[in-house]
């Protein structure tokens, strides 16, 4: 059996009972970073007495079993979070295709779990390929509920909306980042994105350019000791963060009033009587080419 287990994004007490049960029963743990996973299990072992939680006498049929499988007798299992009792394999974005290609379905005769370093597998983290593999090979699998940063960030923001757009991590390059922001904002819905401390200021500068009148809610290190948030326009938030500690992963909620836009295709912009430099910038916004490359093509004509 395969179980995808979400892990705490900061506070260890956010682990669920079902998450602890899956970790305790696991024979094999597949994870992004084996060092992180072993450290997590060791910390959980220190803080929770798993035997007292799960190693109880067989419950009556009227009592709800913690496991979804009512035939599983937890009292007969050896429940341990000691990393020494588990087998660990590393599975991350750089090796996942090769890992899946070499995977033997027989491994799932044992209790196998996959967990991210922090948060929900498959949400801006590997995990989806395991689900596809299980579906293709008729392997029983389960996905446990748990922490997810963008869900918590949206709830923290106080934005009232049944709909929103989740954009994950923004691109690293400025041109691609601005394109992505414009693409997300065109739906006229609240937009939720992730950003690293290394690029948060650059992303806010881009928001000042593409949605200066938006309302921004930016929160860092959710559930951790130094959790904090900032609210305001893109320029307000940028100014505040330039003067403060920006360490930690960020969740940003953007609420912008949709504007009417003039929609022109590539050839229509090409035909406009504009300077080549300005025209190349406009064309770069709607194509895969860089502005510099387009500019060279324009002046060569």
């Amino acid at each position: 059996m395969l179980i995808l287990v979400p892990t705490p994004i900061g506070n260890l007490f956010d682990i669920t009972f079902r998450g602890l049960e899956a970790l305790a029963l696991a024979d094999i743990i597949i994870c992004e970073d084996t060092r992180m996973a072993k450290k997590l299990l060791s910390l959980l072992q220190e803080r929770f007495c798993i035997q007292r939680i799960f190693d109880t006498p067989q419950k009556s049929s009227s009592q709800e079993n913690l496991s979804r499988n009512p035939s599983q007798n937890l009292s007969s299992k050896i429940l341990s979070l000691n990393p020494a009792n588990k087998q660990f394999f590393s599975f991350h974005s750089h090796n996942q295709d090769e890992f899946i290609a070499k995977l033997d379905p027989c491994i799932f005769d044992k209790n196998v779990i996959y967990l991210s370093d922090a948060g929900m597998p498959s949400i801006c983290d590997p995990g989806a390929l395991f689900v596809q593999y299980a579906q293709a090979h008729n392997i029983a699998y389960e996905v446990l509920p748990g922490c997810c940063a963008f869900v918590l960030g949206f709830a923290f923001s106080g934005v009232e909306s049944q709909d929103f757009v989740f954009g994950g991590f923004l691109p690293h390059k400025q041109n691609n980042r601005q394109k992505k922001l414009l693409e997300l904002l065109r739906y006229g819905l609240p937009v939720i994105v992730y950003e690293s401390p290394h690029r948060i200021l650059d992303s806010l500068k881009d928001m000042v350019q593409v949605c200066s009148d938006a309302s921004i809610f930016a929160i860092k290190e959710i559930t951790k000791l130094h959790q904090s948030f900032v609210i305001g326009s893109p320029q307000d938030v940028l100014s505040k963060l330039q003067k403060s500690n920006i360490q930690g992963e960020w969740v940003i909620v953007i609420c912008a009033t949709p504007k009417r836009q003039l929609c022109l295709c590539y050839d229509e912009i090409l035909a406009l009587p504009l300077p080549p430099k300005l025209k190349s910038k406009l064309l770069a916004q709607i194509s895969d080419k860089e502005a510099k490359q387009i500019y060279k093509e324009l002046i060569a004509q």
Side-chain angles (χ1 to χ4, degrees):
M1 170 128 187
L2 169 66
I3 303 179
L4 273 63
V5 181
T7 51
I9 59 176
N11 191 321
L12 283 179
F13 283 88
D14 290 331
I15 190 74
T16 66
F17 283 143
R18 291 181 68 197
L20 284 172
E21 176 191 20
L23 289 169
L25 291 172
D27 301 307
I28 296 172
I29 295 178
I30 302 173
C31 51
E32 287 187 88
D33 187 328
T34 57
R35 296 166 300 179
M36 292 282 289
K38 290 176 182 179
K39 182 178 179 179
L40 173 65
L41 263 68
S42 296
L43 290 172
L44 291 172
Q45 179 82 340
E46 291 174 9
R47 284 163 175 73
F48 300 101
C49 183
I50 300 306
Q51 280 73 19
R52 290 181 63 185
I53 294 175
F54 294 113
D55 195 8
T56 56
Q58 181 68 17
K59 298 177 180 179
S60 66
S61 59
S62 63
Q63 291 177 299
E64 182 181 2
N65 197 321
L66 283 172
S67 171
R68 285 191 60 181
N69 182 358
S71 66
Q72 189 176 46
N73 182 357
L74 292 178
S75 63
S76 67
K77 296 285 186 180
I78 299 174
L79 303 176
S80 172
L81 289 177
N82 187 344
N85 297 334
K86 318 289 182 183
Q87 226 179 334
F88 290 82
F89 296 98
S90 179
F91 176 88
H92 47 74
S93 57
H94 299 294
N95 77 342
Q96 60 179 358
D97 292 329
E98 181 183 0
F99 190 103
I100 291 293
K102 296 180 178 179
L103 195 57
D104 184 346
C106 293
I107 192 176
F108 297 103
D109 292 339
K110 298 182 178 181
N111 290 329
V112 179
I113 68 170
Y114 172 74
L115 49 86
S116 303
D117 286 344
M120 175 65 71
S122 300
I123 305 297
C124 291
D125 273 324
L129 289 185
F130 270 127
V131 173
Q132 294 174 20
Y133 185 91
Q135 292 170 344
H137 293 80
N138 199 28
I139 294 165
Y141 71 94
E142 178 67 278
V143 181
L144 302 189
C147 288
C148 188
F150 87 80
V151 175
L152 286 170
F154 189 65
F156 262 111
S157 74
V159 173
E160 187 177 9
S161 175
Q162 293 189 34
D163 304 309
F164 57 81
V165 178
F166 176 56
F169 283 98
L170 291 172
H172 294 186
K173 293 184 178 180
Q174 182 186 43
N175 188 48
N176 294 334
R177 191 164 54 238
Q178 290 187 0
K179 280 185 187 178
K180 183 69 173 180
L181 284 169
L182 288 169
E183 178 186 330
L184 295 170
L185 289 166
R186 69 185 175 89
Y187 295 101
L189 298 172
V191 171
I192 309 170
V193 295
Y194 290 158
E195 194 51 280
S196 74
H198 311 293
R199 288 183 296 275
I200 180 70
L201 296 182
D202 289 334
S203 289
L204 286 168
K205 289 175 184 176
D206 291 333
M207 292 173 200
V208 170
Q209 292 189 42
V210 304
C211 55
S212 60
D213 60 345
S215 173
I216 301 291
F217 176 89
I219 184 168
K220 71 166 185 172
E221 300 191 83
I222 298 179
T223 78
K224 298 180 182 178
L225 180 63
H226 299 291
Q227 172 183 294
S228 62
F229 62 83
V230 183
I231 305 174
S233 69
Q235 185 59 60
D236 292 336
V237 175
L238 175 61
S239 298
K240 291 174 184 176
L241 293 193
Q242 284 174 329
K243 302 173 184 177
S244 63
N245 178 13
I246 60 173
Q247 296 304 308
E249 298 292 328
W250 289 82
V251 178
I252 306 173
V253 182
I254 311 167
C255 291
T257 303
K259 298 179 181 179
R260 292 189 63 184
Q261 296 182 352
L262 177 62
C263 297
L264 298 174
C265 68
Y266 193 96
D267 289 338
E268 288 172 328
I269 296 176
L270 198 60
L272 290 175
L274 298 173
K277 190 171 184 180
L278 176 57
K279 192 181 293 187
S280 63
K281 288 183 178 180
L282 290 173
L283 291 171
Q285 294 294 323
I286 61 170
S287 72
D288 295 329
K289 296 180 180 179
E290 296 288 339
K292 290 181 179 179
Q293 179 186 349
I294 298 174
Y295 179 76
K296 289 180 180 179
E297 293 173 359
L298 291 175
I299 61 176
Q301 292 177 356

